[in-house]
Amino acid sequence: MSETMTGAEMVIRALQDQGVEHIFGYPGGAVLPIYDALFHQDKVKHILVRHEQGAVHAAEGYARSSGKVGVVLVTSGPGATNAVTGLADAMMDSIPLVCITGQVPTHLIGSDAFQECDTVGITRHCTKHNYLVKSIEDLPRILHEAFYVASNGRPGPVVVDLPKDIQFTPGSYSRPVNNQHKTYRPAVKGDMDKIRAAIELMANAKRPVFYTGGGVINSGPHAASLLRELVRLTGFPITSTLMGLGAYPASDPQFLGMLGMHGTYEANLAMHECDVMINIGARFDDRITGRLDAFSPYSKRIHVDIDPSSINKNVKVDLPIIGDCAHVLEDMVRLWRQTAPQIDKVALKDWTNKIEGWRARNCLAYRPSNETIKPQYAIQRLYELTKGRETYVTTEVGQHQMWAAQYFKFEDPNRWMTSGGLGTMGYGLPAAIGAQLANPKALVVDIAGEASILMNMQEMSTAVQYRLPVKIFILNNEYMGMVRQWQELLHGGRYSQSYSESLPDFVKLAEAYGGVGMRCDKPADLDAAILEMIHVNRPVIFDCIVDKTENCFPMIPSGKAHNEMLLNDYLGETGTDIGSVIDEKGKMLV
């Protein structure tokens, strides 16, 4: 049954019909009719952010921790352009968002009107799809179609650019019976012949490894369950990208840790030495592959991905399977059980022993200190003291992000939210706000750096306004740590503009916002301080003063291969922390 209502009212009704509970936004002239419609209802709760970039990151955190589509509402011109960084971030990391942007009235488009910009043109390359609504008759279809496009296939952000006059115009609204896009029909079922070929290739492997990514998590909790079943059925080792952490439990002995530039020694060398690689839901990005001509040189490559454009884009594979991870994994598990393949158990045992030898190097070892808090130690203690709780972790971007990936062990999907593809400083705090709204009873911690947190510190006001007890755990080394590390290792120690001068007093800053500020600079005091932070039911900024010179190892320098890692010389023994390039036999390369 259709109803007559204005375009602005259609927006709110469509959100209600889609089951949207929270929308993140910032008002402005071009969206005031929508804000007026919001005022007259109570089903959709608006969360007022302090910057439009923060709105998109908050919606990302909400989407990633809940499995729902995140929704954003911003005004025209600078409102839309401020949102672009978040949209690009969501596009790179495949996060389902619908971003509604205001636009000047249709008769003013192209006239350089006040707060006009070409939103569709600007966002074309950083969104999955975008729309400029030109008539009220199209609006109901477009709104519902946007949710379908955002959440189906490889997820991503969709922009609906809505001129102000369309918001005032009355029209007929009815929820479409079928809101699918007329041409967008992503394949979800994989080709069975190729899946059978994959099972045969896996069964004959001598040195196999699973390589999994964020696609497993995006596919939903059933995909993660099926992945765990398949890995345990086969007995194969498994590694993960940064975005895939939590799809397979970190505590399981088959898990090798994270792969890639700051991945573990055993994961990277397993990838280098394997003879069959099973890529499920990862896209072979450069932080994983290192030098392409030396990437996994001995392997046959199986690649499962719902996005056909990801197949053979960066790395040529032997067996591509286009389909949703959950559907393909379900078929793989069923076929493996049905065929009960006779794998070479001796070869697999030899492979496992070799991996255990690499693991024994203890590549994440670091020099302990009783005087200074090591950043690795801070993450380890945070993990141990939050273990057993329903905990969600977001991060900013830099060394702290990599240390969090290395030392915080994720057992479940959707608990880890970080900016992987775009590497967006300022992501963590607004993402934590979104995650906290989606999971009000959970503990949500933003692991931050003192430089990165300042990028969107204004969102502390949002946390305080909505009484969201997010914890901002700052590893404060007074440097843009990753920049300093690269300058030390690759630029002769010339620390150009990487020192964080004129830092605020974070304790006083927290109090100025109406939150709680804490500081700790001694290892002996750390546990008690972390426990106090956890139990405070208010937003907290925890200023953890850490070693200023610590570097993040292992590290594959840009342009190097997996067997050309920089390792911490310490490795549980005495030595310096400058790092050495080591091959798979432990031999120094340089």
Side-chain angles (χ1 to χ4, degrees):
M1 180 179 177
S2 64
E3 298 178 60
T4 299
M5 60 184 73
T6 67
E9 291 168 334
M10 287 183 188
V11 171
I12 303 307
R13 179 63 64 84
L15 297 182
Q16 292 172 348
D17 287 346
Q18 286 289 337
V20 174
E21 298 177 357
H22 294 93
I23 181 170
F24 303 88
Y26 200 95
V31 285
L32 286 184
I34 300 175
Y35 274 88
D36 193 53
L38 269 169
F39 184 83
H40 289 93
Q41 58 84 54
D42 58 6
K43 290 183 179 178
V44 179
K45 184 175 182 180
H46 181 274
I47 305 300
L48 178 66
V49 297
R50 271 44 178 186
H51 191 283
E52 291 87 353
Q53 181 185 347
V56 185
H57 292 328
E60 286 186 274
Y62 188 92
R64 293 172 77 167
S65 64
S66 68
K68 301 176 182 177
V69 176
V71 185
V72 178
L73 175 61
V74 299
T75 194
S76 64
T81 58
N82 281 348
V84 166
T85 297
L87 293 171
D89 189 272
M91 184 67 177
M92 291 284 277
D93 286 347
S94 304
I95 310 304
L97 300 180
V98 171
C99 180
I100 300 166
T101 60
Q103 184 55 274
V104 299
T106 51
H107 68 278
L108 290 178
I109 292 176
S111 70
D112 292 333
F114 177 67
Q115 290 194 334
E116 180 194 359
C117 73
D118 179 8
T119 301
V120 167
I122 290 170
T123 63
R124 180 170 288 119
H125 298 291
C126 64
T127 56
K128 188 176 177 183
H129 194 57
N130 60 19
Y131 300 86
L132 173 60
V133 183
K134 296 179 180 178
S135 70
I136 190 66
E137 290 78 18
D138 292 334
L139 184 56
R141 171 185 61 80
I142 287 173
L143 289 167
H144 289 287
E145 211 173 79
F147 279 85
Y148 172 81
V149 173
S151 58
N152 283 269
R154 178 180 176 180
V158 176
V159 163
V160 178
D161 198 32
L162 186 54
K164 191 170 183 178
D165 58 322
I166 304 293
Q167 297 173 42
F168 281 119
T169 302
S172 177
Y173 174 87
S174 59
R175 182 173 183 176
V177 176
N178 182 357
N179 62 6
Q180 293 183 352
H181 193 278
K182 60 184 178 182
T183 60
Y184 182 58
R185 297 284 194 277
V188 294
K189 291 288 289 182
D191 183 297
M192 283 306 301
D193 288 337
K194 290 187 175 181
I195 294 173
R196 289 189 188 95
I199 293 297
E200 183 178 355
L201 195 59
M202 291 162 59
N204 292 319
K206 309 294 184 185
R207 302 184 309 278
V209 68
F210 282 101
Y211 153 38
T212 56
V216 178
I217 292 173
N218 289 339
S219 186
H222 186 48
S225 297
L226 288 165
L227 173 67
R228 295 168 189 220
E229 186 175 359
L230 183 60
V231 172
R232 286 162 184 158
L233 278 172
T234 60
F236 295 174
I238 177 173
T239 181
S240 170
T241 68
L242 178 74
M243 300 303 295
L245 294 175
Y248 193 84
S251 62
D252 191 281
Q254 287 173 251
F255 187 64
L256 307 182
M258 185 176 67
L259 179 71
M261 180 171 280
H262 291 286
T264 66
Y265 185 66
E266 52 269 28
N268 284 328
L269 290 182
M271 181 61 76
H272 185 76
E273 291 281 306
C274 71
D275 69 344
V276 173
M277 171 210 304
I278 310 106
N279 176 341
I280 302 178
R283 58 186 177 87
F284 291 111
D285 76 286
D286 63 294
R287 292 294 167 115
I288 292 299
T289 62
R291 200 174 86 233
L292 279 173
D293 63 359
F295 173 66
S296 194
Y298 315 113
S299 68
K300 295 287 186 181
R301 300 158 184 168
I302 301 165
H303 187 188
V304 179
D305 204 297
I306 199 167
D307 182 6
S309 71
S310 291
I311 302 293
N312 292 324
K313 181 168 70 175
N314 298 325
V315 171
K316 183 171 176 56
V317 299
D318 300 280
L319 189 53
I321 302 173
I322 298 171
D324 179 76
C325 289
H327 287 82
V328 175
L329 283 166
E330 188 169 35
D331 288 332
M332 282 183 159
V333 168
R334 179 174 49 80
L335 283 175
W336 190 275
R337 287 190 179 280
Q338 284 177 358
T339 58
Q342 298 300 308
I343 61 174
D344 188 335
K345 293 183 179 180
V346 173
L348 185 59
K349 180 63 175 176
D350 289 343
W351 177 231
T352 302
N353 288 340
K354 189 170 189 180
I355 289 172
E356 288 306 310
W358 293 328
R359 201 198 299 261
R361 289 189 65 88
N362 194 15
C363 69
L364 297 181
Y366 58 91
R367 187 188 308 281
S369 172
N370 293 324
E371 303 299 323
T372 305
I373 299 175
K374 294 288 185 174
Q376 303 96 320
Y377 178 75
I379 301 296
Q380 286 179 315
R381 297 315 303 155
L382 179 66
Y383 166 67
E384 291 294 338
L385 294 169
T386 57
K387 195 187 297 185
R389 297 174 181 270
E390 183 187 359
T391 304
Y392 294 80
V393 174
T394 70
T395 76
E396 308 297 331
V397 169
Q399 283 179 319
H400 62 274
Q401 176 191 30
M402 295 298 104
W403 281 318
Q406 291 172 338
Y407 294 95
F408 205 103
K409 307 301 181 184
F410 295 95
E411 301 296 303
D412 299 298
N414 302 105
R415 300 297 182 88
W416 163 248
M417 287 147 282
T418 194
S419 175
L422 198 62
T424 308
M425 293 174 73
Y427 169 89
L429 173 53
I433 287 170
Q436 190 76 79
L437 279 161
N439 305 276
K441 296 181 180 180
L443 172 66
V444 180
V445 182
D446 171 28
I447 297 175
E450 84 291 332
S452 206
I453 189 62
L454 293 176
M455 288 280 189
N456 276 315
M457 178 54 81
Q458 75 284 341
E459 300 309 325
M460 186 70 175
S461 286
T462 303
V464 170
Q465 177 178 343
Y466 295 99
R467 297 179 174 85
L468 301 172
V470 296
K471 319 301 183 189
I472 304 169
F473 190 75
I474 300 174
L475 299 185
N476 187 346
N477 60 10
E478 297 183 4
Y479 278 97
M480 300 174 202
M482 195 62 83
V483 174
R484 183 202 59 75
Q485 176 169 334
W486 280 58
Q487 288 174 337
E488 176 184 329
L489 299 176
L490 305 175
H491 296 278
R494 295 180 292 278
Y495 302 124
S496 178
Q497 303 301 312
S498 55
Y499 181 62
S500 299
E501 295 189 64
S502 302
L503 286 171
D505 181 325
F506 285 108
V507 172
K508 291 181 179 178
L509 184 62
E511 293 168 351
Y513 274 113
V516 175
M518 300 174 61
R519 179 177 292 115
C520 184
D521 60 3
K522 291 183 174 55
D525 299 336
L526 187 58
D527 279 19
I530 289 174
L531 287 171
E532 182 182 351
M533 175 192 77
I534 291 170
H535 289 109
V536 172
N537 193 30
R538 291 166 62 192
V540 176
I541 298 178
F542 188 110
D543 190 14
C544 186
I545 310 301
V546 299
D547 190 321
K548 295 176 175 54
T549 62
E550 196 74 9
N551 286 332
C552 183
F553 291 116
M555 174 184 173
I556 302 174
S558 182
K560 298 293 185 180
H562 283 132
N563 63 331
E564 297 176 295
M565 281 175 283
L566 282 170
L567 294 183
N568 190 337
D569 277 350
Y570 177 65
L571 292 182
E573 304 165 349
T574 58
T576 64
D577 288 328
I578 60 170
S580 301
V581 182
I582 309 287
D583 72 2
E584 70 273 15
K585 296 181 175 64
K587 178 183 175 183
M588 292 255 187
L589 295 180
V590 295

